[in-house]
Amino acid sequence: MPWRLAPNRILVSFRFSVRTMSTRTFNDAVDKLNSLQSNYAAIEASRASGGRMTQYAKHEMIEYLGRIGYSVTDLNQLNVIHVTGTKGKGSTCAFVDSIIRSTTPHRKIGLFTSPHLVSVRERIRINGVPISEEDFVRFFFEVWDRLEQNDQ
């Protein structure tokens, strides 16, 4: 079953059509991802604006969601645990992931954490296993292409 990222910490199931990506590689996806604004740059821009940029964040997320063909209603139908804070998010998520997987082994459990240490694939785990390069490429370019096609 295809997977789609929910904000910050938990990976959740979503349906995407599958398209052949034979000419696109994992390195192509990573290069495109690295061409985007970094978390550091976003935080610095927010600080420079005096925090005024955050008032637009929710609207922008809803806009991006629409550009890839989904709505807030779609997200509200998902089971998501979003962990925030300044310390211990990774450990908390690892504990929650382990508990849920051990108590409900019949369910697919996804985990998204950031940042990664070695490879971006570490961020996305399904039942404790990092996403394959093939799936990463496929899902990355599904979203990338939809955003480019619906550029506003």
Side-chain angles (χ1 to χ4, degrees):
M1 172 178 273
W3 294 90
R4 178 171 155 29
L5 297 180
N8 202 14
R9 291 290 170 201
I10 299 292
L11 188 69
V12 293
S13 172
F14 238 74
R15 289 178 213 98
F16 276 114
S17 63
V18 177
R19 211 173 79 179
T20 303
M21 302 287 174
S22 60
T23 60
R24 292 171 160 172
T25 67
F26 177 73
N27 287 336
D28 293 336
V30 170
D31 288 345
K32 294 266 190 202
L33 183 62
N34 288 339
S35 74
L36 302 174
Q37 184 178 34
S38 70
N39 286 341
Y40 175 79
I43 290 168
E44 288 302 309
S46 180
R47 284 183 183 152
S49 75
R52 291 183 304 276
M53 288 180 62
T54 59
Q55 67 185 332
Y56 304 110
K58 184 176 177 182
H59 173 74
E60 287 177 350
M61 289 304 298
I62 292 169
E63 179 184 323
Y64 282 115
L65 190 61
R67 286 174 57 191
I68 62 172
Y70 295 98
S71 69
V72 172
T73 302
D74 296 321
L75 292 183
N76 288 338
Q77 295 174 8
L78 303 174
N79 295 315
V80 176
I81 299 171
H82 183 156
V83 178
T84 65
T86 57
K87 295 188 186 282
K89 293 180 297 294
S91 298
T92 300
C93 289
F95 288 135
V96 170
D97 176 64
S98 177
I99 291 166
I100 294 173
R101 285 192 293 121
S102 67
T103 58
T104 57
H106 59 282
R107 297 186 74 172
K108 278 191 179 178
I109 306 300
L111 175 67
F112 174 77
T113 60
S114 179
H116 60 274
L117 298 175
V118 177
S119 172
V120 69
R121 293 176 40 244
E122 296 169 28
R123 295 179 180 201
I124 306 166
R125 295 180 174 271
I126 301 168
N127 289 338
V129 179
I131 190 169
S132 69
E133 285 190 8
E134 296 79 19
D135 282 345
F136 182 86
V137 169
R138 183 167 29 124
F139 299 130
F140 176 85
F141 281 112
E142 281 283 340
V143 172
W144 183 271
D145 290 344
R146 286 183 184 194
L147 290 173
E148 280 193 333
Q149 290 168 1
N150 297 309
D151 192 18
Q152 295 178 349

